[in-house]
Amino acid sequence: MGIESKYLPAGQRREVIVDTVIDLAGEQNPSEITTAAIAKRMGLTQGALFRHFQSKDAVLEAVMRQVSDRLMLRISKAENGSSSSIGKLENMFITHIKFIKDHPGIPRLLFGELQSSKKTEPKKIAQMLLSQYKKRLISIIEDGKEKGEFDLELNSDAAATLFIGTIQGLIMQSLLASDKKAFNVDACKVFDIYKRGLTGAI
């Protein structure tokens, strides 16, 4: 970034700031990221940073909004890539995993906000993301039950919760093991087991 980031239009500069925070979160504890560190990584002064965001909280809010928008955009494209309910879920699962693999700082940011005891705007955005995601999953699962793809006795709410929880579990294991290759292999195997549960094939 450095020198090039000094000459970007305001909108693009804000995007670069968001990306910088995501990159830094992949390298260190998000709570320890300072505005000074963000500015240094970009080759800017803190004064230049504050011309775009009034505070660190404002930066984090923008980051959460961008993360939410980017993830849901990819999820939507993945969902539309299949006509079957199980195909939609599998596409979404693999897409989500790839998104996290490409941006390892994102889960650290999300987990950090969700664990916070404070009622901050970034936390609200993270909670809304999970709620929106779960509603979409429930809709797909219900549609799959109507089409005869899934077991009619399947609890759609629980199945959606398990979908998200499974991804979160894989992410946590990946962060602990620092093994991105195993992350992808495990994801495919785990989804196969999840799929068996949906169809009653276990």
Side-chain angles (χ1 to χ4, degrees), residues 72 75 89 92 127-142 155-165:
M72 292 312 296
I75 291 300
L89 292 177
M92 292 165 69
Q127 291 173 326
M128 286 177 61
L129 169 61
L130 288 176
S131 177
Q132 181 184 359
Y133 199 158
K134 185 175 180 179
K135 287 179 180 178
R136 179 168 295 188
L137 290 169
I138 290 174
S139 177
I140 294 171
I141 294 167
E142 284 292 316
N155 184 307
S156 300
D157 186 271
T161 298
L162 182 59
F163 182 101
I164 295 173

Side-chain angles (χ1 to χ4, degrees), residues 2-179:
I3 297 176
E4 293 182 3
S5 68
K6 296 180 180 180
Y7 304 102
L8 293 174
Q12 290 184 33
R13 175 76 63 80
R14 289 172 65 91
E15 289 279 343
V16 173
I17 293 171
V18 166
D19 288 335
T20 300
V21 174
I22 292 173
D23 288 343
L24 287 170
E27 303 168 7
Q28 64 184 90
N29 187 330
S31 65
E32 298 175 355
I33 297 174
T34 63
T35 52
I38 299 169
K40 182 178 179 180
R41 175 64 66 91
M42 295 181 66
L44 302 174
T45 63
Q46 286 193 70
L49 188 68
F50 288 132
R51 281 199 289 272
H52 299 279
F53 295 102
Q54 295 181 343
S55 64
K56 180 182 174 181
D57 286 342
V59 174
L60 289 177
E61 181 179 341
V63 170
M64 284 297 108
R65 291 191 186 283
Q66 282 291 332
V67 166
S68 180
D69 290 346
R70 292 177 188 179
L71 176 58
M72 292 312 296
L73 177 60
R74 290 202 188 188
I75 291 300
S76 294
K77 289 181 178 179
E79 179 185 348
N80 294 330
S82 177
S83 58
S84 69
S85 297
I86 191 62
K88 291 178 186 292
L89 292 177
E90 184 167 12
N91 286 348
M92 292 165 69
F93 192 90
I94 300 303
T95 295
H96 193 151
I97 293 298
K98 186 178 185 305
F99 182 71
I100 296 304
K101 180 186 175 186
D102 292 341
H103 307 287
I106 287 178
R108 293 188 180 192
L109 288 163
L110 286 171
F111 289 148
E113 290 302 325
L114 291 171
Q115 290 175 350
S116 173
S117 60
K118 300 178 181 179
K119 294 182 179 180
T120 63
E121 195 61 30
K123 182 176 181 178
K124 290 180 183 178
I125 296 170
Q127 291 173 326
M128 286 177 61
L129 169 61
L130 288 176
S131 177
Q132 181 184 359
Y133 199 158
K134 185 175 180 179
K135 287 179 180 178
R136 179 168 295 188
L137 290 169
I138 290 174
S139 177
I140 294 171
I141 294 167
E142 284 292 316
D143 188 53
K145 288 165 67 175
E146 291 180 9
K147 292 178 178 177
E149 292 184 54
F150 304 147
D151 188 338
L152 288 175
E153 299 299 318
L154 180 69
N155 184 307
S156 300
D157 186 271
T161 298
L162 182 59
F163 182 101
I164 295 173
T166 300
I167 291 176
Q168 291 174 333
L170 286 170
I171 291 170
M172 289 300 295
Q173 290 183 58
S174 175
L175 290 175
L176 290 171
S178 299
D179 188 347

